[in-house]
Amino acid sequence: MATKRKKASPKRKRIRTENGTHTITVAVNGRTFTRAVEPRVLLVDFIRDELRLTGTHIGCDTSHCGACTVLVDGHAVKSCTMLAVQADGRKITTIEGLSEHGRLHPIQEAFKAHHGLQCGFCTPGVVLAALELLQVENAPSEDRIRTAISGNICRCTGYSSIVDSVAAAGEMMRPGKG
Amino acid sequence: MQPHSFDYVRPQTLAKAIQVLRENGNRAKVLAGGQSLIPVLKLRLANPRVLVDINDLPGLAFIEERGDRLRIGALSRHRDFEQSKLIRAKYPIFSDVASVLGDPQVRNLGTIGGALAHADPASDWGTALLALEAELIARGPTGARTIPIDRFFKDPFTTALRSSELLTEIRVPRSKSGDGGAYLKLKRKTGDFATIGVAVQLGLDAKRNVAGVRIGLAAVGPTPIRATGAEKALVGRKAGPTAFADAAKLASEEGHPSSDLRGSEEYKRAMIEVFTRRALETATARAGR
Amino acid sequence: MAQTTKVFGQSVLRKEDDRFLTGRGNFVADMLPPGTVFAKFVRSPYAHARIRSINTAKARRLPGVLDVLTSQDMKDQVGDIITAWAIPNANLKTPAYPPLAREVVRYAGEAVAVVVAESPFIAENARDLVEVEYDPLPVVTDVETATKPGRAPLHGDAPDNVAFKWILAGGDVDKVFQEADVVVSQRFVNQRLQPTAMEPRAAIAQFEPGTRELTLHVTSQNPFVHRLVLSIVLKYPEHLIHVIAPDVGGGFGSKIPVYPWEAIVCHLAMRLGRPVKWVEDRMENYVATTHGRDHVQYVDLAAKKDGTILGIRARVLANMGAYLSTAAPGIPTILFGFMVGGCYAIQAGRVEVTGVFTNTTPVDAYRGAGRPEALFLLERMVDILARKLKKDPADIRRKNFIPADKFPYPTAMGLTYDSGNYPGTLEKALDKVGYEKLRKEQAEGRRKGKLMGIGLSTYVEICGLGPSAVVTSTGFAGGLWGASTVRLHPTGKATVYTGGHPHGQGEETTFAQIVGEELGIPVADIEVVHGDTKLTPYGQGTYGSRTTPVEGGSIALSARKVRDKARKIAAHLLEAREEDLEFADGKFVVKGSPKAAKTIQEIAWAAYMAGNMPKGVEPVLDATTFYDPTNFVFPFGCHICVVDVDRETGQVKIRRYVAVDDVGNQINPMIVEGQVHGGVLQGLAQAMLEQSVYDENGNLLTNSLIEYLVPTALEAPRIETDSTVTPSPHNPLGVKGVGETGTIASSQAYVNAVCDAVGVDHIDMPVTAEKVWRVLHPK
């Protein structure tokens, strides 16, 4: 969602079908899916129910908890506060898209090394929110990290270990490392 | 919870968007960032027939100085203000708002136009733009019109926009030497609405007298308001503790903050006084005179 | 290459993490068996009302709706919900707790009907079409009003809304209060909280007519408790009920109880012959999942003028909500009253607790469950006393601590603390925070009008529930022994079956560490299985910080049984005497003959082959233990909170938070620290932000995260931790619990700090900026 808007890509032909659904094409974790969806369907329900990617979680009704956070074109977005039809033509990254061929992404390694999770329910959302920060800054201050994850509620960790995990991930992701 | 069913259109031109709005009247709702609208739909507090997604409309997201105005496209996202060098350098009051509004995910999608059109009584943008003497450009079936911010907010969640109109642009006076602004928000925690909010935009002359000032207050009534009594008391006076204290006291007497879960009326008024004084201090420091 | 097997005490990285970090956790809401239909509950908007009529016709007609049921439709199949902690000698009333409201609704959010449909969307639409007519009745939400005469009582059995009256006394309370030089008194409100585990609750029930087996996947901290209670409520044979709690996203006590909706979903599955899935949303969670705390406490402390504390008296009104939840009666009584003496050698105490019914959501355990309520009032009274006597709060504590050489220590209230060294954690915390320097800074700052405060909190708590004879004597419907099976497979890998059910606490790792240490098997070769009533021995679950000491204790004993058996087999195979064998690094070696050795893996294979076994020894390395602890365990510590207060606004900023805890031996210091961090923040959140608020009609105003304020990373301080180690003498591993200590210590550390900063006896939680401002700017 940059300030400068690109023209709608030709891949995005939202077709309104007779029974009120729209056909959308979404790239999720590098794979393209074309599906018919009703406009009312939330992106999080599309991801979980239609694509059966259940790593993205639902923790509230009022867009506060951030457990549903995914990356849309690289930006952290609460997928419960976005319609699936809005995702047409976009690139989505869910937690399942981070590791490749069974190898953990550095941020996943860092969370493990620094005990950045306990029950695991908020974790996918926290990791992706933090990842957006680390994609632009790999040595963020503690305050910057806390701000980046301030849209994600964790009830288990008390956040100190999450901050440490993100800082460690930044270090691992710096050029010349790993 | 899940929204009721609705139709959805994503027009590629402004004309088409306006046409759909006109055809559906108040059965249509505009979808910009969706950070206010979608939660409302999920709680089934609204049941529109059609959502008009305006995110594809070209030329509505920009932040630039042109002529004697700073011009802002209504589809500018909150985080665009956090990242804009121009804003940080010359219009830090916008950065103040963006940094206390919502959380990072909300700021990625939410738009200034959407926030204004939503018109929450505690609207951070609304309050700041009141202080900035903004003009809002609305486009409808009969063309464009300019709505001064003082006439924009009518009631909670109600603005001067007609159901067939789209807010497309916000214009504020271009920053000049001696100008300074600040927005301070008292909130219970991250992501909360303002308990109270104070926006100050002032201009100092070469002698550090207040040549002009506007003060906006958030969460003190059905809409954001201006603290006109405080403003009048400041104009012509030297910027400094005495003038600020007097103005802050007057500001605390304006509006009708209600006693609720965020605080009692008495506390809110006391905080308006404190935050008005602090905002005046910050704005003056930024005015650099 | 020799593998290190000294894993006990190492910060081994968690085995759980891989699946959670890759989005492959298996939470109930993630499951979708073929043919699943979806249930939604119609909930009362009224806090107290007579149901005049329920019209389900419109809802039933909606395409895709399978059924709409009220209490009448299931009255023979689903019985009333039962409480499992019937405290004796308290005149306990146990009024009927119907699964769906019959005739009367008693709290806003109580379910009156259930809709089942082909999709959640249709179920929600159908729910909106169910028409219920109510005749409102008078509403009461607070404990002090509810017991006044003239109120419409909730239950016929309890005309004064009193659920119980419980008294605990030790020593001669009247005498010490008469002899005291000073008595300080204070009223406390330990406010109602909403546990807010990040995962909302969910249940999927399936019935297989071929085997008549009912399977329930449910967000539970204790699947066997669910199975037992459901067998009673559903009048269904216990052995045909299979309960599985897969990954559970936090509980904090709110997933202990057996809820009506869980029983109803089971009934629906049996009735409809299809899997029935129910997932609550957050608003439903907030009105229909148990709340925590909600005490009004009147406390007196008697002392000598030199600061010696002589006695304590507490008269408490405890809100039970509209119905008694599963563990509810024992929380504000057994787990509260016995701990009001804390770390101090107080010789006399009297606690009187009245449980009160109100038109609110039922109250049950929430992290700490009774102990935060006790330690908060005690530690606040100590600071109030210190203020009165103009003494340093650290000195008063030092003066009254039970000395370190007096353990096991029998308390006046009737417990025996197993081990403790309270001065040890106090001095360590004071040193870590730089106490003397801070007091100097505070004194100088005061001259300049700066407001800085230091809050101490020393605590001891009772956990590791618990010795069965004791807990059952308090009315708990079950012994709280720990159950485990340690099983070595033919190839030498191991599976540990445990009766605990961790939901974030890391026992899949720490339990592997226990077995790894006892048997010399690599942690990677050990799998921990929990949460399935068909797989593990009968287990009482995870709560009350029991999993590590009690379930872990059981595992240690099972592993030792396996090792002892392996030793016998090794001796037989090596033709040596058992006492001539040394066991290290997973190998039995004949002393003095290093080549005469058998690895534990070789023994596992030999035991499986069973061709050459010593006489009287059964095949297979497999052992089960039901470990009944002889006492609770008593972790302790000292937390210190330093705050700076903005005089103009009353806003408080935490400058530092130091926690020094002693939880006995630590299996995994990284995990221990994580539990402290999480517990501390929840206690701080109570002190700073959280509060359940009802309006005068009994509507929960804090029914979403908009109004129920839970801290984000920006509200959380950095938490510094350290520890001492004083093992529990009676526990097989010398370990104590840690899951709740942070919450038991932190609320009062914060409030003590703020009161110290602004110079006032007390401010009720949550300590909002306005409350602080009012102290600083009185009218």
Side-chain angles (χ1 to χ4, degrees):
Chain A
M1 314 296 169
T3 305
K4 294 196 172 43
R5 299 286 304 173
K6 298 198 185 103
K7 269 206 327 215
S9 106
K11 288 191 295 250
R12 287 169 46 199
K13 268 189 284 182
R14 280 165 324 281
I15 303 154
R16 193 168 186 290
T17 64
E18 277 175 11
N19 62 356
T21 60
H22 290 241
T23 302
I24 61 171
T25 301
V26 195
V28 182
N29 302 331
R31 273 184 66 195
T32 304
F33 297 89
T34 301
R35 295 279 192 279
V37 295
E38 288 181 62
R40 64 169 178 82
V41 171
L42 304 171
L43 180 59
V44 67
D45 292 326
F46 177 77
I47 289 170
R48 287 177 56 79
D49 300 338
E50 179 61 39
L51 302 183
R52 296 303 288 147
L53 293 168
T54 56
T56 305
H57 299 142
I58 298 173
C60 78
D61 326 314
T62 51
S63 308
H64 280 87
C65 78
C68 65
T69 302
V70 298
L71 297 180
V72 176
D73 293 336
H75 293 299
V77 157
K78 293 176 184 176
S79 61
C80 74
T81 317
M82 189 169 169
L83 304 174
V85 287
Q86 292 178 274
D88 185 39
R90 307 228 167 277
K91 286 202 182 77
I92 296 179
T93 306
T94 71
I95 188 70
E96 291 92 339
L98 282 197
S99 52
E100 278 179 16
H101 309 300
R103 225 181 128 214
L104 293 182
H105 185 285
I107 194 172
Q108 291 166 317
E109 293 283 7
F111 267 72
K112 193 168 168 182
H114 293 271
H115 195 28
L117 64 149
Q118 290 183 22
C119 84
F121 195 78
C122 79
T123 305
V126 170
V127 167
L128 291 170
L131 195 55
E132 180 182 15
L133 172 71
L134 294 177
Q135 281 166 355
V136 296
E137 276 182 62
N138 55 29
S141 66
E142 173 150 357
D143 197 60
R144 288 281 290 146
I145 295 173
R146 286 181 181 267
T147 300
I149 61 171
S150 63
N152 294 78
I153 296 179
C154 173
R155 230 11 199 162
C156 291
T157 65
Y159 300 106
S160 294
S161 60
I162 293 179
V163 172
D164 292 343
S165 301
V166 176
E171 232 186 275
M172 287 163 72
M173 285 165 67
R174 261 171 237 157
K177 297 254 181 157
Chain B
M1 298 206 300
Q2 300 200 353
H4 289 294
S5 288
F6 46 81
D7 285 343
Y8 170 88
V9 296
R10 191 163 182 159
Q12 302 294 299
T13 66
L14 189 56
K16 178 72 180 169
I18 291 167
Q19 180 198 339
V20 178
L21 289 176
R22 201 189 56 193
E23 282 166 3
N24 288 276
N26 57 14
R27 296 301 316 275
K29 282 224 177 281
V30 173
L31 174 63
Q35 301 304 287
S36 299
L37 176 62
I38 294 179
V40 163
L41 296 178
K42 285 167 66 176
L43 295 175
R44 297 194 164 189
L45 297 174
N47 191 2
R49 185 201 296 149
V50 60
L51 246 53
V52 183
D53 183 334
I54 60 168
N55 286 286
D56 274 357
L57 298 184
L60 287 185
F62 55 88
I63 303 171
E64 64 195 30
E65 288 175 317
R66 214 188 295 166
D68 63 351
R69 290 279 183 272
L70 172 70
R71 299 175 62 164
I72 297 165
L75 272 183
S76 301
R77 313 281 164 180
H78 305 312
R79 72 161 231 293
D80 295 338
F81 297 93
E82 284 183 301
Q83 295 180 349
S84 159
K85 288 201 179 80
L86 172 64
I87 291 293
R88 282 205 299 254
K90 295 179 73 178
Y91 302 89
I93 186 175
F94 286 90
S95 310
D96 292 345
V97 173
S99 68
V100 294
L101 202 160
D103 57 48
Q105 290 93 320
V106 168
R107 296 197 281 271
N108 274 339
L109 281 186
T111 64
I112 184 170
L116 286 171
H118 183 64
D120 191 287
S123 170
D124 301 309
W125 280 129
T127 306
L129 291 170
L130 265 179
L132 286 160
E133 203 174 5
E135 292 167 324
L136 308 179
I137 313 300
R139 296 189 114 86
T142 52
R145 68 180 178 116
T146 303
I147 309 171
I149 189 81
D150 287 339
R151 293 211 280 276
F152 186 72
F153 298 111
K154 299 286 186 199
D155 246 337
F157 312 108
T158 315
T159 70
L161 284 174
R162 298 178 197 129
S163 59
S164 56
E165 281 180 321
L166 213 53
L167 180 59
T168 56
E169 191 176 323
I170 299 108
R171 294 178 186 160
V172 303
R174 187 174 181 139
S175 165
K176 55 191 193 305
S177 169
D179 282 354
Y183 179 68
L184 295 179
K185 176 178 181 177
L186 174 64
K187 55 178 160 51
R188 297 173 299 177
K189 58 163 273 203
T190 308
D192 197 13
F193 294 104
T195 300
I196 54 102
V198 180
V200 165
Q201 180 70 19
L202 50 68
L204 302 180
D205 67 21
K207 298 207 187 91
R208 279 188 109 237
N209 293 323
V210 176
V213 64
R214 287 170 62 107
I215 300 173
L217 301 178
V220 297
T223 71
I225 63 166
R226 278 174 55 204
T228 47
E231 291 170 358
K232 288 195 185 90
L234 270 171
V235 173
R237 289 185 71 176
K238 190 156 233 95
T242 325
F244 293 167
D246 292 345
K249 186 91 184 77
L250 287 168
S252 76
E253 289 158 10
E254 308 231 25
H256 306 281
S258 56
S259 293
D260 58 23
L261 289 179
R262 288 184 177 75
S264 68
E265 178 185 347
E266 189 193 348
Y267 179 68
K268 289 180 181 181
R269 288 194 185 283
M271 291 307 100
I272 289 169
E273 186 171 353
V274 172
F275 276 59
T276 300
R277 199 200 76 236
R278 292 181 179 180
L280 285 166
E281 288 164 359
T282 305
T284 298
R286 286 172 173 169
R289 284 230 164 124
Chain C
M1 184 165 83
Q3 278 172 313
T4 174
T5 53
K6 295 282 173 282
V7 291
F8 192 105
Q10 300 300 314
S11 291
V12 173
L13 299 188
R14 294 195 339 159
K15 290 151 79 66
E16 294 88 328
D17 287 357
D18 283 352
R19 67 182 186 273
F20 295 130
L21 284 167
T22 55
R24 300 195 70 82
N26 185 29
F27 298 93
V28 175
D30 300 342
M31 299 170 50
L32 193 61
T36 295
V37 293
F38 301 86
K40 294 275 176 193
F41 288 90
V42 179
R43 296 187 180 279
S44 166
Y46 289 97
H48 200 192
R50 203 158 278 291
I51 300 172
R52 205 189 317 149
S53 67
I54 306 180
N55 191 338
T56 62
K58 271 200 202 127
R60 282 170 185 279
R61 281 200 295 269
L62 198 65
V65 172
L66 278 81
D67 214 343
V68 182
L69 301 167
T70 66
S71 70
Q72 188 63 18
D73 298 313
M74 55 181 78
K75 67 182 189 334
D76 296 324
Q77 296 93 346
V78 185
D80 289 348
I81 302 298
I82 57 175
T83 185
W85 205 340
I87 51 172
N89 305 318
N91 200 14
L92 177 71
K93 305 283 166 60
T94 54
Y97 180 176
L100 286 178
R102 283 192 293 268
E103 294 164 16
V104 178
V105 291
R106 296 182 174 87
Y107 70 97
E110 182 169 1
V112 302
V114 62
V115 175
V116 191
E118 295 284 354
S119 76
F121 180 62
I122 296 172
E124 260 187 65
N125 294 342
R127 177 175 63 188
D128 291 349
L129 293 175
V130 174
E131 293 162 332
V132 189
E133 288 184 307
Y134 298 95
D135 290 323
L137 294 167
V139 167
V140 65
T141 58
D142 79 283
V143 288
E144 292 191 288
T145 316
T147 52
K148 290 199 168 73
R151 289 271 138 200
L154 274 76
H155 303 284
D157 303 358
D160 51 0
N161 284 328
V162 171
F164 59 78
K165 196 153 180 162
W166 181 85
I167 297 174
L168 178 72
D172 194 335
V173 177
D174 293 332
K175 179 163 176 282
V176 304
F177 271 85
Q178 269 159 29
E179 292 177 353
D181 296 328
V182 59
V183 173
V184 286
S185 301
Q186 182 63 48
R187 176 183 184 271
F188 298 105
V189 174
N190 201 301
Q191 82 275 32
R192 177 182 283 246
L193 302 175
Q194 290 150 225
T196 317
M198 288 322 297
E199 179 206 26
R201 286 179 311 108
I204 300 177
Q206 301 174 76
F207 180 70
E208 171 47 62
T211 58
R212 292 180 57 231
E213 185 169 280
L214 171 68
T215 301
L216 177 69
H217 284 82
V218 63
T219 51
S220 164
Q221 297 174 222
N222 33 250
F224 281 93
V225 172
H226 272 70
R227 191 180 77 166
L228 178 56
V229 173
L230 287 171
S231 74
I232 297 167
V233 170
L234 296 171
K235 295 169 261 225
Y236 201 74
E238 193 181 358
H239 65 291
L240 293 178
I241 301 177
H242 180 192
V243 180
I244 302 159
D247 290 323
V248 172
F252 314 116
S254 67
K255 292 174 180 166
I256 296 173
V258 178
Y259 290 86
W261 357 114
E262 295 162 347
I264 291 168
V265 161
C266 289
H267 168 65
L268 292 171
M270 293 197 271
R271 190 183 181 112
L272 299 171
R274 292 176 66 177
V276 178
K277 180 173 177 179
W278 166 75
V279 180
E280 71 179 1
D281 54 38
R282 181 57 65 184
M283 278 188 168
E284 196 176 6
N285 168 270
Y286 273 166
V287 297
T289 294
T290 50
H291 294 176
R293 315 269 190 271
D294 206 341
H295 286 200
V296 174
Q297 307 162 330
Y298 293 89
V299 186
D300 311 304
L301 197 73
K304 300 210 292 228
K305 54 179 182 289
D306 69 355
T308 308
I309 300 171
L310 301 173
I312 182 166
R313 272 193 313 231
R315 182 173 66 81
V316 176
L317 294 165
N319 203 333
M320 295 285 103
Y323 300 100
L324 292 180
S325 175
T326 305
I331 309 298
T333 54
I334 312 299
L335 294 181
F336 164 79
F338 283 95
M339 295 311 298
V340 295
C343 300
Y344 311 116
I346 303 177
Q347 291 311 305
R350 185 175 194 280
V351 177
E352 180 191 298
V353 183
T354 303
V356 182
F357 290 116
T358 66
N359 297 114
T360 59
T361 301
V363 174
D364 206 318
Y366 169 58
R367 199 164 192 173
R371 288 97 78 210
E373 295 91 309
L375 272 301
F376 182 86
L377 69 82
L378 175 65
E379 287 297 287
R380 288 264 53 248
M381 292 305 283
V382 169
D383 265 32
I384 290 170
L385 178 69
R387 195 160 179 264
K388 178 110 187 188
L389 297 175
K390 297 192 172 41
K391 289 187 180 300
D392 188 321
D395 286 337
I396 296 232
R397 287 173 168 86
R398 285 185 185 107
K399 191 174 190 56
N400 285 285
F401 277 157
I402 299 161
D405 61 354
K406 291 270 190 265
F407 290 85
Y409 180 83
T411 72
M413 303 310 284
L415 295 170
T416 302
Y417 292 169
D418 60 354
S419 67
N421 180 4
Y422 309 135
T425 47
L426 173 71
E427 300 307 333
K428 196 163 190 176
L430 292 173
D431 186 61
K432 194 175 174 77
V433 87
Y435 187 67
E436 300 301 330
K437 205 157 161 234
L438 284 173
R439 284 290 180 207
K440 279 206 185 75
E441 181 199 328
Q442 183 182 50
E444 282 161 18
R446 278 202 175 121
R447 286 194 280 274
K448 299 186 200 135
K450 280 189 191 292
L451 298 173
M452 180 263 265
I454 308 162
L456 270 54
S457 164
T458 54
Y459 75 92
V460 61
E461 73 114 341
I462 178 174
C463 65
L465 312 183
S468 299
V470 176
V471 300
T472 50
S473 76
T474 69
F476 192 78
L480 284 173
W481 28 264
S484 68
T485 298
V486 172
R487 172 171 305 157
L488 264 61
H489 306 295
T491 55
K493 311 287 191 257
T495 299
V496 179
Y497 300 87
T498 174
H501 181 52
H503 38 280
Q505 299 91 330
E507 278 89 357
E508 285 177 30
T509 306
T510 56
F511 284 179
Q513 288 177 257
I514 294 174
V515 174
E517 184 72 24
E518 299 284 346
L519 297 180
I521 297 174
V523 165
D525 287 354
I526 305 168
E527 181 200 16
V528 177
V529 170
H530 59 96
D532 187 323
T533 59
K534 262 200 183 173
L535 293 179
T536 70
Y538 199 105
Q540 293 286 47
T542 288
Y543 42 76
S545 303
R546 64 184 302 274
T547 313
T548 295
V550 181
E551 300 294 346
S554 172
I555 289 168
L557 295 174
S558 290
R560 290 170 197 169
K561 284 178 186 168
V562 166
R563 192 178 64 219
D564 290 346
K565 184 172 182 178
R567 179 181 283 271
K568 286 189 161 58
I569 299 170
H572 177 77
L573 294 176
L574 293 167
E575 294 173 353
R577 295 178 308 168
E578 285 186 54
E579 33 304 7
D580 289 336
L581 294 180
E582 278 171 346
F583 181 70
D585 294 333
K587 240 185 337 192
F588 290 98
V589 181
V590 178
K591 284 183 209 165
S593 307
K595 287 209 168 64
K598 287 281 176 205
T599 65
I600 189 95
Q601 290 81 2
E602 287 170 327
I603 305 293
W605 181 264
Y608 152 75
M609 291 292 280
N612 183 8
M613 296 289 278
K615 205 173 166 66
V617 175
E618 293 176 3
V620 181
L621 289 183
D622 185 304
T624 296
T625 306
F626 292 88
Y627 160 58
D628 201 353
T630 53
N631 195 359
F632 303 92
V633 289
F634 297 89
F636 58 92
C638 177
H639 290 204
I640 303 182
C641 184
V642 183
V643 301
D644 295 291
V645 178
D646 181 330
R647 183 183 283 282
E648 285 190 314
T649 62
Q651 288 169 304
V652 177
K653 192 131 177 65
I654 298 178
R655 192 201 285 189
R656 283 188 74 186
Y657 192 97
V658 166
V660 178
D661 300 285
D662 192 316
V663 298
N665 290 330
Q666 298 185 15
I667 302 173
N668 185 320
M670 179 186 80
I671 289 180
V672 167
E673 186 184 50
Q675 292 303 300
V676 173
H677 281 192
V680 164
L681 185 61
Q682 282 193 318
L684 289 177
Q686 171 171 17
M688 303 188 298
L689 285 170
E690 294 180 38
Q691 183 175 22
S692 307
V693 179
Y694 282 93
D695 71 11
E696 68 276 9
N697 295 316
N699 293 309
L700 183 66
L701 296 177
T702 52
N703 65 351
S704 80
L705 286 167
I706 300 174
E707 295 300 350
Y708 192 76
L709 306 178
V710 168
T712 70
L714 288 174
E715 283 77 48
R718 199 149 260 278
I719 299 164
E720 302 166 57
T721 60
D722 206 330
S723 60
T724 60
V725 178
T726 310
S728 168
H730 67 82
N731 180 278
L733 293 166
V735 301
K736 300 185 180 180
V738 68
E740 295 163 287
T741 56
T743 310
I744 291 164
S746 59
S747 306
Q748 55 272 28
Y750 184 85
V751 180
N752 280 349
V754 177
C755 290
D756 182 52
V758 303
V760 72
D761 266 355
H762 182 60
I763 303 174
D764 268 331
M765 302 186 286
V767 177
T768 60
E770 177 168 350
K771 286 181 185 172
V772 177
W773 177 82
R774 282 192 183 280
V775 170
L776 295 169
H777 305 267
K779 283 204 230 295

